[in-house]
Amino acid sequence: MSTTTTTLHSAKSPVPLLYRRHSSGQIRNLASVSSSLLPAFGTVVGEGSLQLNKFVIAPYDRRYRWWQAFLVVLVVYSAWSSPFELAFKKVATDSLLPVDLVVDAFFGIDIVLTFFVAYLDKSTYLLVDDHKKIAMRYVKHLWFPMDVASTLPFQVIYQIFTGKRHYGQVFGFLNLLRLWRLRRVSELFSRLEKDTRFSYFWTRYAKLICVTLFAVHSAGCFYYWLATHHHVADDTWIGSLIPNFEDRSVWLGYTYSMYWSIVTLTTVGYGDLHAVNTGEKIFNMLYMLFNIGLTAYLIGNMTNLIVHSAVRTFAMRDAINEILRYASKNRLPESLKDQMLAHVTLKFKTAELQQEEVLEDLPKAIRSSIAQHLFRKTVESAYLFKGVSEDFIVQLVPEMKAEYFPPKVDIIIQNEISTDFYIIVSGAVDVITYKNGMEQFLSKTGPPDMFGEIGVIFNVPQPFTVRTRRLSQVIRISHHNFKQLLQPFNEDGKIMLSNFLQHLKGLKKEELEEIPLVTEFLGDLRTEDTAAVEELEHHAADEEARRTSTAYTFSDVLPTRIIIHGHHPNEKLTEGESPGKLIHLPDTIEDLLRLAEKRLGKRGTAILMADGSQVEDLNTLRENDHLYIL
């Protein structure tokens, strides 16, 4: 039992730290959470705050993060002072020595704190807060000896033990161990590059500037150090211009050093400062070789940043050029080519608004919530969905897809196969028909009107061409998805049928003339088919029919249409006799005979198919079947 308890205390899931970014409070921005917080699969995570062992610091504690940020500022000082003190030893033993001691003291405190900071076991992704394990991990790691070596003030220790000040160069090189602290800056930039609160471009740009400045500063300081340690001072790159340069101002020597380093890095090379002795020439060659790699690194990174920001522009121009070549090769008319160009241009301009690309990798629940926020009001405003249930709307909205269309572009073409219908979100469209090869304007529609639904519902080719008047956004749903969604919603299907019938009655005469099927359908409803409509309403209110229905598709919402005749199928029609009457198929044979009496003017007793067989079950009939009433 004790072993189990120790294990539970020493290895704890890091996920509760999402709720305890520091000792008391909550995490403010999930974008700053490290990916290392992810637990292993199967890890049991509680909802409460994680309680660490006494005197153990959480690595994501807010106060500890601020401490780490403060140390990064001190690292910047160390990166500047270490090469500078090597070159200008007087500064290292006088004015900068107290500052170095204070900085080293802070890093000494950090070494002590590290023994109390919990760590994440990379094999189990559990947070380890056992003091012994934390200490052993740190001591065995390379970081511990390097942290100690870069923190010890060797020059002060030597003075304490010997009572003398030592100005030898060995202490200058030992101070270069402080450059080990630069790893903290590298880790900082790595975190900033992954943090979405900061611009990736400017973070990378700042990193490149820091690398360049450090390279220039270090090279200039070491080049000055070479001059100070040459046996003949005048036989150096700076001594040949400034006699007794070592006795001059420190900042004068530093200015000359930085000047030489920058003009060499930028390959300008005015020739006023040049290598004189062999050691300087060798260093110059090494530095210029290093500059080749550094320049390639800088140019490569800057090129990637710039190209990344312009990659969409390149893609758009390539797509436009491809369209122009295609249109020219196939001799497409100018109007069609303009539509193609407008569509591609709009596609790239609205790419960041296209939810398909944005939502592609998101969980279904998030995609559904976004769709509800974007499209729900528009869908509820469309005439077809007025009065339908909340459940149906919730199911329907996530299936909607948004599209943008530029002006003067055909969204639907007359007589094309019906696959989708649309709801206008913004903009406006024209409804157009073609007569004798000429365009004829029928109507103008805008938000939240629908188009394309007549062809979809009647399952016929689209009766009109629909063309945008200006930039328009629409949402669409496919006929197949709509039918599948409607299957379990019987009552909603009947509500939409009623809405659809009312919409057809409100169409303009010019539009109805272009849809003979709808015209005949509405004519039947207005004159002699009143009984069928009443029967349909009665069926919509029949609770028993709703409970016993097992397969309810959109084709069931719109009644099956059949053609009835008042003669035997083998009899030929006489001249002037009606070829038949189009009616809605009622629910029972008795209702069919009663409706036929109204339409044909005679009472029948038998119903035959075209092959002479007698109809006994109306459920076997299909759309546009011919029935003969005898």
Side-chain angles (χ1 to χ4, degrees):
M1 176 66 76
S2 61
T3 304
T4 305
T5 305
T6 304
T7 303
L8 292 175
H9 279 286
S10 61
K12 300 182 180 180
S13 173
V15 171
L17 289 176
L18 287 172
Y19 309 101
R20 288 185 71 252
R21 181 71 179 278
H22 48 90
S23 299
S24 59
Q26 294 182 341
I27 192 166
R28 299 288 184 181
N29 193 323
L30 289 176
S32 63
V33 177
S34 171
S35 61
S36 60
L37 287 172
L38 296 174
F41 284 110
T43 302
V44 179
V45 180
E47 296 182 357
S49 299
L50 178 65
Q51 297 296 328
L52 298 176
N53 283 339
K54 193 174 183 181
F55 303 118
V56 174
I57 303 172
Y60 306 106
D61 190 292
R62 186 182 183 186
R63 293 166 295 184
Y64 183 71
R65 284 298 182 94
W66 276 109
W67 168 257
Q68 293 294 318
F70 171 69
L71 291 182
V72 169
V73 177
L74 301 184
V75 170
V76 174
Y77 167 78
S78 299
W80 174 83
S81 64
S82 298
F84 187 78
E85 292 175 359
L86 174 67
F88 305 94
K89 57 185 179 181
K90 292 182 179 179
V91 179
T93 57
D94 296 327
S95 56
L96 291 183
L97 182 59
V99 180
D100 290 342
L101 293 176
V102 172
V103 172
D104 290 340
F106 280 111
F107 283 99
I109 296 173
D110 183 68
I111 292 175
V112 177
L113 286 177
T114 306
F115 283 95
F116 298 92
V117 178
Y119 68 92
L120 202 67
D121 190 334
K122 293 184 178 180
S123 62
T124 62
Y125 281 90
L126 298 177
L127 200 63
V128 178
D129 62 349
D130 182 80
H131 287 284
K132 292 182 179 180
K133 291 184 177 182
I134 295 173
M136 292 302 296
R137 175 178 179 268
Y138 184 44
V139 171
K140 291 181 179 180
H141 203 279
L142 176 64
W143 288 2
F144 176 69
M146 290 301 297
D147 285 346
V148 173
S150 62
T151 303
L152 290 176
F154 293 101
Q155 195 166 356
V156 175
I157 293 175
Y158 177 84
Q159 184 177 351
I160 292 174
F161 281 97
T162 63
K164 301 177 182 179
R165 280 195 173 188
H166 192 281
Y167 298 98
Q169 294 302 313
V170 64
F171 293 112
F173 283 102
L174 287 175
N175 285 340
L176 293 180
L177 290 172
R178 298 171 185 168
L179 298 180
W180 163 256
R181 301 167 182 170
L182 286 172
R183 62 182 174 81
R184 297 175 182 269
V185 179
S186 178
E187 293 170 357
L188 172 65
F189 278 112
S190 296
R191 289 198 301 269
L192 293 179
E193 288 172 1
K194 298 174 184 177
D195 196 329
T196 56
R197 295 175 298 175
F198 301 94
S199 168
Y200 178 78
F201 176 86
W202 291 111
T203 301
R204 292 286 297 177
Y205 188 66
K207 181 178 180 180
L208 296 177
I209 291 177
C210 292
V211 170
T212 304
L213 292 178
F214 177 71
V216 169
H217 171 73
S218 300
C221 290
F222 193 76
Y223 201 47
Y224 186 85
W225 179 86
L226 287 177
T228 58
H229 287 77
H230 195 265
H231 57 280
V232 180
D234 293 338
D235 190 21
T236 60
W237 66 273
I238 188 173
S240 60
L241 295 177
I242 305 175
N244 302 320
F245 66 92
E246 291 186 80
D247 299 328
R248 304 289 292 272
S249 169
V250 171
W251 295 109
L252 176 67
Y254 183 69
T255 302
Y256 271 76
S257 300
M258 294 300 294
Y259 172 74
W260 167 85
S261 184
I262 291 174
V263 296
T264 304
L265 174 66
T266 57
T267 68
V268 175
Y270 296 110
D272 49 350
L273 296 177
H274 59 278
V276 175
N277 56 66
T278 304
E280 292 174 353
K281 292 178 180 179
I282 293 174
F283 179 78
N284 266 341
M285 288 188 292
L286 295 175
Y287 182 51
M288 285 186 284
L289 290 175
F290 168 77
N291 286 344
I292 294 175
L294 179 61
T295 303
Y297 171 76
L298 297 175
I299 293 176
N301 276 269
M302 290 303 299
T303 301
N304 285 335
L305 292 175
I306 295 174
V307 170
H308 182 267
S309 62
V311 65
R312 298 197 64 84
T313 303
F314 293 153
M316 183 184 72
R317 292 181 64 87
D318 289 342
I320 290 176
N321 290 333
E322 290 293 333
I323 287 177
L324 292 175
R325 284 194 294 268
Y326 180 86
S328 176
K329 182 178 180 180
N330 293 278
R331 298 180 180 179
L332 298 180
E334 287 295 324
S335 60
L336 188 56
K337 184 175 71 173
D338 291 341
Q339 288 189 33
M340 295 168 64
L341 291 175
H343 178 76
V344 171
T345 303
L346 183 64
K347 175 183 176 182
F348 281 95
K349 287 183 177 179
T350 60
E352 60 184 16
L353 301 176
Q354 295 299 317
Q355 79 284 357
E356 288 87 352
E357 298 179 7
V358 177
L359 306 182
E360 190 175 28
D361 298 324
L362 293 177
K364 183 178 180 180
I366 298 179
R367 294 199 306 268
S368 178
S369 298
I370 295 174
Q372 298 290 338
H373 174 74
L374 294 176
F375 306 137
R376 177 164 185 154
K377 290 183 179 179
T378 301
V379 172
E380 290 178 335
S381 301
Y383 79 86
L384 189 64
F385 306 114
K386 289 185 180 298
V388 299
S389 66
E390 176 84 7
D391 291 341
F392 180 74
I393 293 293
V394 171
Q395 296 289 332
L396 174 67
V397 170
E399 298 296 329
M400 293 288 186
K401 306 297 181 183
E403 289 189 61
Y404 289 84
F405 290 93
K408 306 300 180 183
V409 170
D410 294 338
I411 302 177
I412 289 178
I413 299 177
Q414 187 175 349
N415 295 324
E416 72 175 355
I417 300 299
S418 303
T419 57
D420 305 270
F421 60 89
Y422 303 78
I423 304 175
I424 303 175
V425 178
S426 62
V429 299
D430 290 334
V431 179
I432 300 170
T433 188
Y434 288 89
K435 284 187 177 181
N436 300 323
M438 300 293 292
E439 288 187 0
Q440 179 178 340
F441 173 81
L442 295 179
S443 64
K444 170 190 172 183
T445 59
D449 291 336
M450 301 178 64
F451 58 88
E453 78 282 9
I454 295 178
V456 168
I457 293 176
F458 280 103
N459 197 23
V460 296
Q462 292 289 358
F464 308 114
T465 292
V466 179
R467 180 178 301 161
T468 56
R469 296 178 66 94
R470 55 181 180 269
L471 176 64
S472 301
Q473 182 189 14
V474 300
I475 52 177
R476 62 177 174 84
I477 185 171
S478 69
H479 185 200
H480 176 71
N481 290 344
F482 184 64
K483 289 175 63 177
Q484 285 188 328
L485 286 174
L486 193 58
Q487 287 182 2
F489 296 96
N490 298 13
E491 299 303 323
D492 291 325
K494 296 174 179 63
I495 293 174
M496 284 185 282
L497 172 61
S498 177
N499 294 338
F500 180 65
L501 295 178
Q502 292 299 322
H503 173 72
L504 293 181
K505 294 176 182 179
L507 291 178
K508 294 181 179 180
K509 180 180 179 182
E510 295 81 2
E511 294 176 310
L512 292 175
E513 290 176 353
E514 299 301 319
I515 323 174
L517 182 64
V518 175
T519 303
E520 184 177 358
F521 171 65
L522 291 178
D524 294 340
L525 289 179
R526 282 192 291 263
T527 56
E528 301 173 3
D529 207 19
T530 305
V533 176
E534 293 176 352
E535 180 63 27
L536 180 63
E537 294 174 351
H538 174 73
H539 178 70
D542 189 354
E543 186 66 20
E544 181 64 24
R546 184 185 67 81
R547 288 196 300 266
T548 58
S549 177
T550 58
Y552 203 87
T553 62
F554 189 72
S555 60
D556 296 322
V557 176
L558 195 64
T560 302
R561 294 169 293 128
I562 60 173
I563 300 173
I564 58 175
H565 304 268
H567 57 85
H568 194 277
N570 293 331
E571 296 180 4
K572 294 184 179 180
L573 294 177
T574 59
E575 186 176 353
E577 188 176 354
S578 172
K581 297 293 185 181
L582 181 68
I583 66 169
H584 291 142
L585 183 65
D587 293 330
T588 65
I589 291 179
E590 291 74 13
D591 292 335
L592 177 58
L593 293 174
R594 185 167 58 252
L595 184 59
E597 183 180 6
K598 287 187 176 183
R599 299 298 303 275
L600 301 176
K602 67 176 184 176
R603 177 71 177 183
T605 57
I607 304 172
L608 302 181
M609 298 289 290
D611 59 1
S613 61
Q614 186 168 349
V615 177
E616 297 180 354
D617 186 1
L618 298 185
N619 292 327
T620 62
L621 300 179
R622 297 292 180 264
E623 186 82 7
N624 294 325
D625 278 350
H626 290 258
L627 300 183
Y628 298 85
I629 311 298
L630 302 179

